[in-house]
């Protein structure tokens, strides 16, 4: 059984504020929010990062973006940022693919 933190959230072994779920994706609130709305969109399947995704995961990757857009619509968001840190150098701290969906404040560009 995987000790991965986000796999454990998928299995409900660690509590999280889950806001959306389907057979392939989970959306839950980030424990250290960086914006008034900050959720994580993850695949239930373990992928360490986008670097572990293969052609057979293409539909799953599209599914995650649709999960993000569905959350944004249901939350009434008129704008949001969707970002994924891949690799330590990019700031990835949890080795399970995830997209941060941030909204509710002005967003600077480029990100730090
Ligand atoms: P990243 O640094 O891009 O790998 O983002 C990981 C995010 O995961 C970070 O914003 C904090 C969040 N996080 C870490 N541990 C937990 C946890 O146990 N529960 C929840 N809900 N979020 C977590």
């Amino acid at each position: 059984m995987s000790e991965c933190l986000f796999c454990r959230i998928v299995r409900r072994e660690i509590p999280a504020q889950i806001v959306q779920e389907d057979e392939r994706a989970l959306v839950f609130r980030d424990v250290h929010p960086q914006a008034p709305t900050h959720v994580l969109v993850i695949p239930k399947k373990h992928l360490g990062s986008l670097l572990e995704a293969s052609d057979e995961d293409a539909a799953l990757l599209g599914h995650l973006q649709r999960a993000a857009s569905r959350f944004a619509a249901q939350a009434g968001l008129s704008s949001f940022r969707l970002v994924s840190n891949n690799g330590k150098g990019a700031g990835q701290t949890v080795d399970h693919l995830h997209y941060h969906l941030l909204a509710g404040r002005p967003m600077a560009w480029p990100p730090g």
Side-chain angles (χ1 to χ4, degrees):
M1 199 67 83
S2 170
E3 289 305 306
C4 164
L5 177 63
F6 287 176
C7 286
R8 296 190 69 193
I9 287 177
V10 169
R11 296 197 301 266
R12 306 299 204 275
E13 293 172 6
I14 292 175
Q17 288 186 48
I18 295 169
V19 294
Q20 186 176 297
E21 179 173 23
D22 63 32
E23 71 284 358
R24 284 181 284 174
L26 195 68
V27 183
F28 56 95
R29 298 201 185 279
D30 194 293
V31 79
H32 298 306
Q34 303 300 315
T37 298
H38 185 175
V39 298
L40 301 172
V41 182
I42 72 166
K44 290 186 172 178
K45 172 183 176 179
H46 181 84
L47 290 170
S49 76
L50 279 174
L51 292 170
E52 288 186 10
S54 66
D55 287 348
E56 74 176 27
D57 297 311
L60 174 61
L61 298 180
H63 187 83
L64 296 175
Q65 291 199 50
R66 181 64 188 116
S69 71
R70 186 178 299 119
F71 171 82
Q74 288 176 353
L77 303 177
S78 57
S79 63
F80 63 90
R81 179 166 291 171
L82 192 65
V83 62
S84 179
N85 301 322
N86 288 267
K88 284 190 171 39
Q92 184 175 8
T93 58
V94 177
D95 291 334
H96 182 124
L97 175 62
H98 52 282
Y99 293 85
H100 298 259
L101 188 158
L102 301 131
R105 64 165 171 78
M107 300 283 163
W109 192 263

